[in-house]
């Protein structure tokens, strides 16, 4: 390419020339330049065209009276290929004054735009996660199991992890990623800190006082990122001191990269730290602290050294790499005598401070130093505890193996969980302190409803007929004969209606009304308006006509159901957040489409259900069927989590969206919308209608089912990939949208609602998307998890998920098989979620109420540590006051009355409490029948008879009852699960 004032010359092949045709018009409009394309044949070296270009340059110089025209070229790069070699030769032989423009181009490309920065951040995200989620666990496993693995084999496996991002728990398309350089692994005294270093075939050396250097670089859309870490094994004092000095020096260099500063200031800042903290290590410090990075891994002219005085500008990107080369240990082992240290991170220069994009990979001392020797570890802990100044101590991340024993995974989990407990208690304390007195329990707030009027005045009442119960469908009222007059009641005031027939062929109808004081009663508002009013609680009528009674009951129930549905829909629509309007694709691009889908929740109506089509437009999805009123819009900005679950062992393939705000699907208010296809619903005949008579095992039918299943999964996968490409555009970067896929291998069976389901974790959620109601729990919203009824001999256990929002109901997943316990613990630990174990089911509603009522006492008493069985057992002799509100007392005082016993709330949840909660949550509560009333009367008589019992007998009976409430036998669990 040759750029002139009014002309731009290209010398290329026919294929490239066809691509460059589009540039002609743009160049003419933008800079008034003519684009001249010289097309050379495949066998031609292009000499004649080069002569034409050089003649054009000479003609321009003559017109400007310039005898020796100045021509800029990139002198620092050697020409590659016959065409460039020929052009370089022609250029040198021409009568031109050549000038190197490498620095100018470097300045031009050094400042990155928003799209380039996004690519670098994604590359950094991949690089850091490969180091954190693949390299570190891989090296730890090699050391822990004392495997013999070469540096080159580790390099090859890490390269595969970069090219397959899912292995590092990163969701990027493999076709968009690549390596910057082959990953570098070094140990055993042979170190090379240059970026061109290579991993040799020596075995990874991890004996005492050894050092392991790992460096990983990856690309996303050709943009580079880099990270390097050093791991210390039983570090010597010199190694510890050198690493701490290097860590401070690198942080100083990163901090000095500010807009307006000179590049050498970053290196001098690192050098001053080393001169202050470890002056004897200055000769071993690398002469450069890194380079600029972008499309090129090392951008020329942007080296961070003591001589470069170029100015740092905002949105420049650097690979800040600093190390100590060839330090000496006092050791007779040749593999420990020499060691080097290296730290590298990708850094974006911001307006106020530098942004380290590879921060996910920790370089703190506690995360890179490992201890094998138990005696040394105890000595280090003693040093840390005494906080002596002037001594250098290495806190190990974990003890992987000692000489005599191997630490189990359970011990490693326990250590990590102890650290999580400390962090969680500090986080909870800060959050509760911020909320202050605003925290409260509004869980039992009454549901307000609009005033419903059946008749505005007496004249609107229907003409009186016989004194019989009448149902006015038009005015939504029930007229009851009371004292010779027809008294109207709006159907919304009726709570339940039931009928019964006795032995004398008398029929009874019993109507129970909503009155103030009833849980979730809509009459609370009217009671506050008319405090002196008298409310009718229930009324019963007797009749000799059973047919009439059954018709009236059915009419009232039907009418009440319609009114409740209408009012609930009206109330739900009133609380909806206004959504943005869907912008249709129109002519801009063809919408991404997936056809023949079913939706959940389903649309209302009694007509035949129809499949529909899901389309992705400019700012959202639209699902529609052939019916005009069956249409749902899901905005991209309203999507909180998106899931894609192909049919593996399930009968459906699905795309599921969990939303920030509710939307209406038909007449249902929901936060979860799912689109699915049943892969085994219809078997399509692919090879003709005739079926082989010699196929008793139905092999052909099974093959057709597999073909249908694979086709549907591929259609869904294609749709998801195309939508992901749409979401990767810059305008959607702030939404951070991507499809999450459940990890079946981590799944477990449990009962989150009323039926057993297979619950599966994803990278960010815990979900169950096949059975309804759906379960979607964001891991970021979880405070802690309590594993209940964990103990020897139990076939299953329960999981209680406590959310950071203490006003939110605790989620219970019951009847999880005990065989899944270790897998769940491992998953919770790897996702940094603190979990506890308890032998009983706890009453979380009461616990959270106690916490929100007095958060300071909760913080002072150790936060969540009251759930720690080990701490609770060891502190059982402590004062009773410190455990008040969290651990239930075993026996109440004898002075308490039976009424107090029944009203008090224990923190241990009994079956009766759950049954009562289930009845309250039921859609339509039933009134007490005559048999229930008689049973209550007989129980009351039996209670009175107990008053004559001796004090010892009553105490024995109370202890027995308390024991039943605390311990829930496993044999009764299916019944308990069914009731929930």
């Amino acid at each position: 390419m040759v750029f002139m004032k009014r002309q731009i010359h290209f010398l290329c092949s026919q294929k490239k020339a066809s691509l460059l045709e589009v540039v002609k018009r743009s160049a003419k409009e933008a800079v008034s330049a003519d684009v001249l394309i010289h097309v050379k044949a495949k066998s031609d070296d292009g000499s004649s065209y080069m002569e034409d270009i050089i003649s054009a340059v000479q003609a321009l110089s003559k017109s400007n009276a310039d005898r020796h025209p100045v021509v800029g070229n990139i002198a620092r790069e050697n020409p590659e290929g016959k065409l460039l070699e020929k052009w370089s030769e022609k250029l040198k032989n021409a009568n031109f004054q050549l000038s190197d423009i490498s620095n100018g181009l470097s300045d031009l490309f050094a400042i990155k735009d928003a799209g380039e920065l996004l690519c670098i951040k994604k590359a950094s995200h991949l690089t850091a996660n490969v180091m954190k989620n693949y390299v570190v666990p891989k090296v730890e496993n090699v050391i822990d199991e004392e495997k013999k693995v070469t540096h080159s084999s580790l390099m090859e496996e890490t390269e595969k992890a970069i090219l397959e991002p899912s292995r590092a728990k990163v969701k990027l398309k493999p076709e968009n990623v690549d390596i910057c350089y082959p990953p570098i692994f070094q140990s055993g005294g042979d170190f090379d800190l240059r970026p061109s270093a290579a991993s040799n075939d020596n075995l990874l050396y991890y004996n005492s006082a050894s050092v392991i250097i790992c460096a990983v670089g990856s690309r996303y859309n050709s943009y580079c990122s880099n990270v390097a870490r050093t791991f210390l094994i039983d570090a010597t004092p010199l190694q510890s001191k050198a690493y701490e000095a290097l860590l401070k020096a690198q942080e100083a260099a990163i901090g000095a990269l500010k807009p307006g500063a000179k590049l050498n200031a970053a290196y001098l800042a690192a050098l001053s730290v080393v001169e202050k903290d470890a002056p004897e290590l200055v000769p071993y410090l690398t002469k450069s602290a890194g380079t600029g990075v972008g499309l090129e891994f090392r951008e020329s002219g942007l080296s961070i050294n003591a001589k470069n005085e170029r100015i740092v500008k905002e949105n420049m990107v650097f690979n800040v790499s600093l190390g100590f080369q060839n330090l000496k240990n006092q050791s007779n082992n040749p593999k420990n005598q020499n060691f080097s240290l290296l730290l590298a991170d990708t850094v974006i220069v911001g307006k106020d401070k530098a942004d380290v994009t590879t921060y996910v990979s920790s370089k703190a001392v506690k995360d890179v130093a490992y201890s094998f020797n138990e005696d040394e570890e105890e000595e280090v802990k003693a040093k840390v505890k005494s906080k002596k100044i002037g001594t250098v101590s290495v806190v190990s991340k974990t003890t992987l193996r000692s000489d005599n024993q191997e630490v189990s995974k359970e011990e490693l989990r326990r250590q990590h969980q102890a650290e999580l407990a400390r962090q969680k208690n500090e986080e909870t304390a800060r959050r509760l302190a911020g909320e202050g007195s605003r925290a409260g329990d509004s869980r039992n707030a009454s549901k307000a409803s609009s005033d419903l009027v059946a008749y505005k005045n007496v004249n609107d009442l229907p003409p009186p007929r016989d004194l019989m119960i009448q149902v006015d469908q038009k005015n939504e009222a029930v007229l009851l004969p009371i004292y010779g007059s027809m008294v109207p009641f709006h159907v919304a005031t009726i709570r339940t209606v039931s009928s019964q027939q006795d032995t004398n062929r008398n029929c009874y109808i019993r109507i129970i009304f909503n009155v103030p004081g009833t849980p979730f009663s809509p009459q609370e508002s009217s009671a506050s308006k008319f405090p002196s009013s008298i409310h009718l609680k229930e009324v019963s009528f007797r009749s000799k006509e059973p047919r009439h009674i059954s018709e009236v009951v059915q009419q009232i129930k039907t009418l009440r159901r319609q009114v409740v549905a209408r009012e609930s829909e009206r109330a739900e629509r009133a609380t909806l957040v206004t959504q943005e309007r869907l912008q249709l694709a129109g002519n801009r691009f063809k919408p991404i489409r997936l056809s023949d889908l079913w939706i959940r929740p389903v649309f209302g109506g009694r007509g035949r259900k129809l499949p529909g089509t899901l389309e992705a437009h400019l700012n959202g999805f639209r699902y529609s069927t052939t019916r005009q009123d069956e249409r749902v819009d899901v905005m991209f900005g309203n999507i909180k989590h998106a899931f894609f679950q192909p049919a593996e062992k399930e009968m459906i393939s699905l795309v599921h969206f969990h939303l920030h705000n509710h939307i209406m699907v038909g007449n249902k208010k929901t936060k979860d919308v799912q689109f699915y296809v049943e892969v085994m619903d219809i078997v399509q005949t692919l090879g003709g209608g005739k079926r082989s008579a010699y196929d008793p095992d139905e092999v052909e039918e099974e093959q057709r089912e597999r073909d249908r299943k694979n086709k549907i999964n591929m259609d869904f996968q294609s749709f998801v990939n195309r939508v992901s490409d749409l979401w990767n555009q810059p305008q959607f970067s702030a939404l951070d949208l991507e499809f999450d896929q459940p990890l079946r291998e981590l799944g477990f069976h449990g009962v989150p609602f009323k039926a057993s389901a297979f619950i599966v974790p994803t990278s960010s959620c815990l979900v169950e998307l096949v059975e309804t109601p759906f379960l979607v729990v964001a891991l970021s919203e979880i405070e802690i998890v309590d594993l209940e009824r964990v103990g020897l001999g139990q076939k299953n256990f329960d999981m209680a998920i406590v959310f950071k929002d203490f006003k939110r109901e605790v989620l219970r997943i019951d009847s999880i098989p005990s065989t899944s316990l270790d897998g769940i613990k491992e998953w919770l630990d790897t996702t940094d979620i603190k979990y506890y174990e308890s032998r009983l089911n706890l009453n979380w509603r009461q616990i959270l109420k106690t916490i929100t009522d007095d958060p300071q006492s909760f913080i002072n008493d150790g936060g969540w540590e009251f759930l720690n069985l080990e701490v609770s057992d060891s502190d059982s002799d402590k004062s009773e006051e410190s455990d008040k509100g969290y651990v239930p007392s075993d026996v109440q005082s004898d002075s308490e009355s039976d009424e107090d016993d029944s009203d008090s709330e224990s923190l241990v949840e009994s079956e009766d409490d759950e049954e009562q909660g289930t009845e309250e949550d039921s859609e339509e509560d039933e009134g007490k029948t005559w048999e229930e009333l008689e049973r209550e009367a007989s129980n009351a008589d039996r209670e009175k008879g107990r008053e004559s019992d001796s004090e010892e007998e009553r105490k024995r009976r109370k202890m027995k009852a308390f024991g039943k409430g605390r311990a829930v036998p496993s044999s009764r669990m299916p019944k308990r699960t069914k009731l929930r």
Side-chain angles (χ1 to χ4, degrees), residues 81 93 117 145 199 280 300 396 631 697 735 819 837:
N93 295 331
L117 292 178
E145 299 184 5
S199 301
E280 69 277 12
S300 59
S396 66
R631 190 174 68 184
D697 296 329
L735 301 179
T819 53
E837 298 180 39

Side-chain angles (χ1 to χ4, degrees), residues 158-227:
T158 304
E159 184 174 331
K160 292 178 182 178
I162 296 175
L163 299 177
E164 299 177 25
S166 59
R167 298 177 64 176
K169 301 178 182 179
V170 176
K171 293 194 172 182
L172 293 174
K173 289 186 176 182
E175 57 266 27
N176 293 335
V177 302
D178 200 356
I179 61 170
C180 281
Y181 55 85
I184 300 172
F185 290 85
Q186 300 177 357
S187 65
D190 186 9
F191 297 97
D192 185 357
L193 302 188
R194 294 175 298 176
S196 58
S199 301
N200 56 34
D201 293 329
N202 296 337
L203 294 175
L204 186 70
Y205 185 76
Y206 45 82
N207 283 2
S208 180
S210 61
V211 169
I212 301 173
I213 292 180
C214 306
V216 178
S218 66
R219 296 175 181 265
Y220 182 83
N221 286 345
S222 300
Y223 284 88
C224 301
S225 68
N226 184 52
V227 67

